[in-house]
Amino acid sequence: MAQDYLELDTADGETIKVLRKSHPQARRLRLTVTPGGARVTYPEGTHPAQIVAFLRKHGEWLERKLDELSLGSAPPPLKPGAATVIPLRGETTRLSWRDGVYPRIEQLDDRLVLTLPAPHGKATLPAARALLRSFFEAQIRRDVSRHLARYCAELERAPTGVRLRPLKSLWGSLDTRDRVTLDLALALAPPAALRYVTIHELCHLRIRSHSPRFWALVESLMPDWREQREWLRLNGQALKAELTRLIQA
């Protein structure tokens, strides 16, 4: 794998450095933005001029995503006692803290309240992260249970299990034992995005490839799947970074 950087000049006179990375399994040019920077991945043998033209075509989008992620400054860490704002089911939600005897988490209108014993010591932050993780898992399982009841009947297929965990790049997967794995960050996304990923993986129980037949099957169950996939493409990396901030040390 060869890799180096390309520099893209913006209309404001700024320069954006983009990691250029070839990959033997890549089938098309792909531009991604994460808290670590921008990267363009391309099939081996792609002409450099084609890569530069691709970056220029997507220059405005690239600038916007870099601004949204505020690259160069780390996201504020989760701090016991300090209120913060988080995404939850696609909505902005205030996360606040409360002193109490027993650790618990509850949703009150547009607030998520963490109750933990005072004073806050070394065990407070791990306990808060565990509460948040269990809450996110419960949110996803509640929604997915409804999706399974509906779509498994239509597909005449069912997974052998559903696992939830943070995923680096994927939103979901189906293994050889027909177990579905979903990204825990989907708890932060709009419910329609979670429904799309669930349908996507369930359809793989019928068709393992991403052939035209597969996408036709997805569309028969969710006509607006393209809109949800695009939302995840535009917002996904920021969502994954937010999950890391909330549940991982």
Side-chain angles (χ1 to χ4, degrees), residues 78 125-134 244-249:
L78 190 64
L125 190 55
R129 294 188 188 280
L131 286 171
L132 285 167
R133 180 165 188 150
S134 65
T244 298
R245 178 177 83 100
L246 294 171
I247 72 166
Q248 296 179 351

Side-chain angles (χ1 to χ4, degrees), residues 10 12 40-41 45 53 93 114 119 121 158 166 208 216 218 230 238 247:
T10 70
D12 298 329
V40 59
T41 306
T93 302
L114 284 168
R208 293 281 175 168
V218 172
E230 181 68 5
I247 72 166

Side-chain angles (χ1 to χ4, degrees), residues 158-161 163 170 172-182 200-208:
T160 57
R163 298 183 297 179
L170 299 175
S173 65
L174 180 70
D175 66 19
T176 56
R177 297 182 181 180
D178 287 349
R179 291 179 301 184
V180 169
T181 298
L182 298 174
H200 184 117
E201 300 309 327
L202 292 178
C203 285
H204 276 314
L205 291 168
R206 291 275 299 272
I207 305 170
R208 293 281 175 168

Side-chain angles (χ1 to χ4, degrees), residues 144-163:
V144 169
S145 64
R146 294 197 297 265
H147 300 330
L148 293 179
R150 174 180 175 181
Y151 297 113
C152 289
E154 295 188 37
L155 291 166
E156 298 182 341
R157 299 285 193 283
T160 57
V162 176
R163 298 183 297 179

Side-chain angles (χ1 to χ4, degrees), residues 7-17 63 67:
E7 293 187 350
L8 179 66
D9 294 328
T10 70
D12 298 329
E14 301 291 333
T15 300
I16 299 174
K17 292 184 67 175
E63 285 186 75
D67 287 340

Side-chain angles (χ1 to χ4, degrees), residues 33 75-76 79 116 136 181 187-188 215 236:
V33 179
K79 183 178 179 180
L116 291 163
F136 295 152
T181 298
L188 311 181
W215 291 115

